[in-house]
Amino acid sequence: MEEMEEELKCPVCGSFYREPIILPCSHNLCQACARNILVQTPESESPQSRRASGSGVSDYDYLDLDKMSLYSEADSGYGSYGGFASAPTTPCQKSPNGVRVFPPAMPPPPTHLSPALAPVPRNSCITCPQCHRSLILDDRGLRGFPKNRVLEGVIDRYQQSKAAALKCQLCEKVPKEATVMCEQCDVFYCDPCRLRCHPPRGPLAKHRLVPPAQGRVSRRLSPRKVSTCTDHELENHSMYCVQCKMPVCYQCLEEGKHSSHEVKALGAMWKLHKSQLSQALNGLSDRAKEAKEFLVQLRNMVQQIQENSVEFEACLVAQCDALIDALNRRKAQLLARVNKEHEHKLKVVRDQISHCTVKLRQTTGLMEYCLEVIKENDPSGFLQISDALIRRVHLTEDQWGKGTLTPRMTTDFDLSLDNSPLLQSIHQLDFVQVKASSPVPATPILQLEECCTHNNSATLSWKQPPLSTVPAEGYILELDDGNGGQFREVYVGKETMCTVDGLHFNSTYNARVKAFNKTGVSPYSKTLVLQTSEDTDSEEQTLPFPVPSERLPLRRMSPFSSTLNLQPSFPGRSYFDFRSSPHQLSLHSSLQSLNTSGCNFETQSAPYSQLVAWFAFDPGSAHSDIIFSNDNLTVTCSSYDDRVVLGKTGFSKGVHYWELTIDRYDNHPDPAFGVARMDVMKDVMLGKDDKAWAMYVDNNRSWFMHNNSHTNRTEGGITKGATIGVLLDLNRKTLTFFINDEQQGPIAFENVEGLFFPAVSLNRNVQVTLHTGLPVPDFYSSRASIA
């Protein structure tokens, strides 16, 4: 029950819900807290003015008003409206549980009415502190929101189970713990005082004695009210509207907005939804049981790793001591390697334990909350929250099914020390793999006739020698950094052909491949020298390998550094038609290794318009709600929440410019455009975490956002057909935005370094199309040349 406590606390005050109401987004608020975060909106945005203008928008229609900041503060543009443009703004506060809360623009007028009956200021707006959706209240004010009686019942039972021991009220000295309470006398008794002051005879024999905890609750609770309609307060709920998914009364069916909707019996739908939630919980319960067993397995692995480590270290020390003085220096090195492997295994397993423990705690809390909700006997109250709970249960179950319950590390130390070499070979002493029951594979042969380059991409093909009898389980392809540096792994797998995209233009790379099986790895193949294209605007160029050994002088004019996209190639398809391949892989970690400071990339100044890059959106790394079309150049979303999608190409050097056109823009949402790291959060607006740098914009103004910090509010918004330009200058380490070929505000971000991917966040009200291969704007090139 303790893990359920977070589900029972208000996101504003941090305490247990008091008279909770249900917002249209399915989140809950205390009625008093909802009144505290109300703000007053301009007259032009009121429901009355909307109806007068003929817009026909429903006051509570989230399908039409779903957006991130219906009204914006002057300093951040995110949250609730803090007054008119000339009015001073009010900084936002944080509730005890960390949720951002916006106070009202002015203190409410004094009133002698209860919070539920006090009048709501005209043209009031409320913003959900959890999902930040805003809506304008109608004349009913907060009374227009249904009360969550199911949640009240769950809280009552939870507090009853946590109630502290009550003391007897009639003990003369030190009060003893009460054992009963008389409902008629309204007094708590211990056993001696009950026998002495409340004997079970005479008129007292008819009194009802209850346990102390039940008595405490009965003191506090009044009889629960019957569920009434929010539109017709004198009518009880009697039917369920299938289209609106809410309980309704008979007046709603006869004369209200539900008169033409399909309706069903309230009791039947209550039983149906309760059955659906129970079925969903069965699957989640199985996942939780598997997670508990998995945690036991992981904890056993920790012990096994400890034991194996101690055993291995003892064996290693005994062997090294036998080799006298010549082995001492090498022994220290080998011990360091074993300890490093030991710590790495422990760290991986402990991190996985911690991750699974947190996720299991959240899952258990949700399960307990759902079970308590199922115990409720209020059909309409249950149906108000059942859909949201069912979705949460299915989502949590899906999260457990994506390889979460697989150990990331083995317990074995597959190493053995070979002490057979002579003393003069001690300096070559190293670990060898255990259980070498078969030889390693033969050295692969690169098939030169099938290897070629195209722009900044290279396709390599290899095969096993014809007479090889030892099978290979996979291959490892390695490239250097194009600057004579160390080789790095860019592909590991079973395929014998792959395309490497995102190399530097006009650069020379070395490539080699080796095979592996359970026994070990083969020697490297012969090293090939490959040259990427010099002019990206020319027709398609392919260069067969090998390139002559005399290398061309390296000229690095704002070279691109993008992700290494590896694709198995198959007979009958172009090696370069990789962007639409379902087999494409993205190894951003390999690129980050290639672009480290140790690679010593050099750059020379050059016209900014000479080098351009073509890329599309990446379905592999995008949120599952993103919808792709037009060869992954056009995206929209199936959710009303913001979802993030990244481009396939990442940049760490040079100057890059791309544009996005707004194909559809409904109900004034706030799409965000910019750049991000590969591990950016995909289920929130771009810029909410520290892995993204973005500009989000509505139909009137824009803001820059990074790590949830909003800056530089600028007038001028977007409409259907508008063009957003993004200019990433990694030579100057700046990020600049444009709207319709005009710079939007100052330089948005400075001192940006590292690997960045083009990024967009949007919801179902927006559709955008990506345009790449564009030159840098002329005025920026001229200004940079002058600088």
Side-chain angles (χ1 to χ4, degrees), residues 306-371:
Q306 296 279 13
E307 294 174 356
N308 292 346
S309 174
V310 172
E311 180 182 352
F312 187 80
E313 289 181 14
C315 178
L316 179 62
V317 170
Q319 290 178 340
C320 290
D321 288 342
L323 296 178
I324 317 173
D325 296 338
L327 295 177
N328 288 335
R329 290 188 299 272
R330 193 62 176 170
K331 179 179 67 175
Q333 297 174 7
L334 296 176
L335 277 174
R337 289 184 57 184
V338 173
N339 287 329
K340 183 177 180 180
E341 179 70 11
H342 168 214
E343 294 300 329
H344 173 66
K345 287 178 177 288
L346 288 180
K347 183 179 184 302
V348 171
V349 176
R350 285 169 175 166
D351 289 347
Q352 194 171 10
I353 289 175
S354 176
H355 175 74
C356 286
T357 301
V358 173
K359 184 175 291 187
L360 178 61
R361 183 182 301 113
Q362 295 172 350
T363 300
T364 306
L366 177 59
M367 291 172 54
E368 292 179 352
Y369 173 60
C370 292
L371 291 174

Side-chain angles (χ1 to χ4, degrees), residues 2 82 92 104 142 147 151 178 228 271 279 300 320 391 432 438 454 462 490 520 552 557 565 605 637 710:
E2 294 180 357
C92 62
L142 296 178
K147 294 183 178 180
L151 179 58
T228 58
K271 294 180 180 179
Q279 293 175 1
N300 292 336
C320 290
R391 287 195 299 271
V432 296
S438 61
H454 168 69
W462 58 88
V490 296
L552 299 175
M557 297 179 297
N565 294 301
S605 61
C637 182
H710 314 256

Side-chain angles (χ1 to χ4, degrees), residues 28-42:
N28 299 286
L29 282 179
C30 299
Q31 186 163 275
C33 295
R35 176 170 294 277
N36 289 339
I37 64 174
L38 286 176
V39 294
Q40 195 165 0
T41 63

Side-chain angles (χ1 to χ4, degrees), residues 5 103 135 160 192 236 333 458 480 603 701 732:
E5 188 166 315
L135 78 157
Q160 178 179 346
N236 296 336
Q333 297 174 7
D480 67 359
T603 60
R701 58 192 71 86
R732 299 177 177 272

Side-chain angles (χ1 to χ4, degrees), residues 4 16 85 133 192 194 280 359 388 494 614 669 684 724 741:
M4 182 180 62
F16 288 111
R133 294 179 179 175
R194 177 178 59 84
K359 184 175 291 187
K494 297 181 179 181
W614 291 268
V684 296
I724 307 295
D741 298 326

Side-chain angles (χ1 to χ4, degrees), residues 8 22 38 48 52 84 138 150 164 200 230 237 335 349 351 354 376 577 596 642 669 693 716 721 728 734 767:
L8 310 180
I22 307 175
L38 286 176
Q48 292 80 3
F84 293 100
D138 61 7
V150 172
T230 55
H237 288 145
L335 277 174
V349 176
D351 289 347
S354 176
E376 283 297 312
D577 185 22
T596 56
D642 285 291
W693 294 256
L728 177 63
T734 61
Q767 177 175 301

Side-chain angles (χ1 to χ4, degrees), residues 700-764:
N700 293 320
R701 58 192 71 86
S702 66
W703 296 262
F704 302 146
M705 181 163 64
H706 169 64
N707 200 16
N708 205 23
S709 174
H710 314 256
T711 59
N712 295 97
R713 166 174 165 168
T714 304
E715 295 300 322
I718 58 174
T719 59
K720 179 180 179 182
T723 299
I724 307 295
V726 183
L727 179 59
L728 177 63
D729 187 346
L730 291 169
N731 293 343
R732 299 177 177 272
K733 303 178 182 178
T734 61
L735 180 63
T736 309
F737 297 97
F738 303 83
I739 296 182
N740 296 329
D741 298 326
E742 296 289 337
Q743 182 170 333
Q744 185 74 353
I747 293 177
F749 301 100
E750 297 179 332
N751 300 320
V752 290
E753 295 182 273
L755 179 63
F756 299 96
F757 292 82
V760 176
S761 69
L762 72 173
N763 64 14
R764 66 182 300 168

